[in-house]
Amino acid sequence: MGGAVSAGEDNDELIDNLKEAQYIRTELVEQAFRAIDRADYYLEEFKDNAYKDLAWKHGNIHLSAPCIYSEVMEALDLQPGLSFLNLGSGTGYLSSMVGLILGPFGVNHGVELHSDVIEYAKQKLDFFIKTSDSFDKFEFCEPSFVTGNCLEISPDCTQYDRVYCGAGVQKEHEDYMKNLLKVGGILVMPLEEKLTKITRTGPSAWETKKILAVSFAPLIQPNHADAGKSRLVHLPPVAVRSLQDLARIAIRGTIKKIIHQETMSKNGNGLKNPPRFKRRRVRRRRMETIVFLDKEVFASRISNPSDDNNNCEEFEDERREEEETKPPELKPDPPVNFLREKVLSLPLPDPLKYYLLYYREK
């Protein structure tokens, strides 16, 4: 489903359209959407459709429409340091956007039924980390994915601050989903054809809000044909970061602060030079005549034939003058990864520099 906003020419234009239609309403969500190009999660032969507000499915690979993802991101009310569980994590597109907001001290887990989709999601995650300049603008909470049916999660699993289910949930499974939440947590899921936000306000207290009508494929029910065989899904443990990893986060954070201070100092309290626009000439146009006839309106451009030569000569003179005075077109400077440049300039051994850069290709 989808089609609520116009198609964009690129990822930024798609986000502009989602903002204009009020599907994206907060700066954090906008930044996350702009940081990850939706087309990167499409197979190459289908990328022409990446910036349309439509769902996409190929085999087991599936992406919801951008307007759905933006409503989900807004409803989750994400904050740094929270724990997130994505049921039906698919390509990892949503999980990666969430990870940009959660930051390095959040928890980001996903459960996906199909092992081939898990492999696809890992490839896309690796591509984002290694090649995207956006990665260095954030501190990232990397998603961890496990294979299994999200209706068979082990009962001794930890509870989460935020939970999203990307498949249609029937009423009989509502309580199961609610029990995955901590008190104060938020669950967003398609419940009986409505995208629904449920907030756990107490051990047995809930607030429910219907967001919009949706159409999702239903959850696949567990198959208990193999009697006695355990199918419980064990979620990844909440691991404590190593001292080495914490040092990398701290060093990168310090360098970012230095870059920000240098930019503020250079631009005068962060005020950048105003953008330069090409000057446009205003040309004189022939008069338009509007004729009223029997309550109908006809508009036509009427010119005096004797003036045609003068008008053509005048237009030619204007065109020639414009060509002579036209300033050279200003091409935008290529984006600069200041964090990478600063790290590479440090008096450190190369292996340590590459570690600070997560061994990224760019």
Side-chain angles (χ1 to χ4, degrees), residues 113 150-151 165-170 173 190 193 215-221:
L113 183 63
C150 67
L151 291 174
C165 181
V169 178
Q170 298 304 310
H173 294 124
E193 304 297 311
S215 177
F216 276 65
L219 282 171
I220 294 177
Q221 302 300 307

Side-chain angles (χ1 to χ4, degrees), residues 244-291:
Q244 187 180 35
D245 202 20
L246 291 171
R248 173 165 61 183
I249 292 167
I251 292 169
R252 283 169 62 92
T254 301
I255 294 172
K256 286 180 180 178
K257 288 179 182 176
I258 292 170
I259 292 170
H260 177 68
Q261 289 168 358
E262 289 177 350
T263 304
M264 293 275 285
S265 175
K266 194 178 298 181
N267 293 332
N269 295 326
L271 294 176
K272 297 181 179 179
N273 293 328
R276 294 174 60 188
F277 298 97
K278 289 188 283 187
R279 186 182 62 175
R280 299 183 62 185
R281 288 179 59 85
V282 179
R283 289 185 180 142
R284 291 185 293 275
R285 296 183 178 178
R286 299 176 182 177
M287 180 166 298
E288 295 187 353
T289 302
I290 300 176
V291 181

Side-chain angles (χ1 to χ4, degrees), residues 276-311:
R276 294 174 60 188
F277 298 97
K278 289 188 283 187
R279 186 182 62 175
R280 299 183 62 185
R281 288 179 59 85
V282 179
R283 289 185 180 142
R284 291 185 293 275
R285 296 183 178 178
R286 299 176 182 177
M287 180 166 298
E288 295 187 353
T289 302
I290 300 176
V291 181
F292 294 88
L293 181 62
D294 292 335
K295 298 183 181 178
E296 294 190 32
V297 180
F298 298 87
S300 61
R301 288 182 178 170
I302 301 176
S303 61
N304 187 340
S306 63
D307 291 339
D308 280 349
N309 289 337
N310 291 337
N311 286 333

Side-chain angles (χ1 to χ4, degrees), residues 197-243:
K197 174 181 178 178
I198 298 175
T199 305
R200 187 168 194 170
T201 57
S204 302
W206 316 86
E207 287 182 359
T208 301
K209 178 183 177 183
K210 305 293 184 183
I211 300 173
L212 75 163
V214 292
S215 177
F216 276 65
L219 282 171
I220 294 177
Q221 302 300 307
N223 181 2
H224 297 295
D226 299 332
K229 186 176 180 181
S230 174
R231 292 178 176 272
L232 286 181
V233 176
H234 296 279
L235 296 169
V238 179
V240 177
R241 286 186 176 273
S242 68
L243 183 59

Side-chain angles (χ1 to χ4, degrees), residues 3 14 18 25 55 74 125 135 149 209 211 218 222 237-238 295 305 342:
L14 171 63
L18 290 168
R25 299 178 289 277
E74 292 287 358
L125 175 61
F135 179 80
N149 190 309
K209 178 183 177 183
I211 300 173
V238 179
K295 298 183 181 178
K342 185 69 77 173

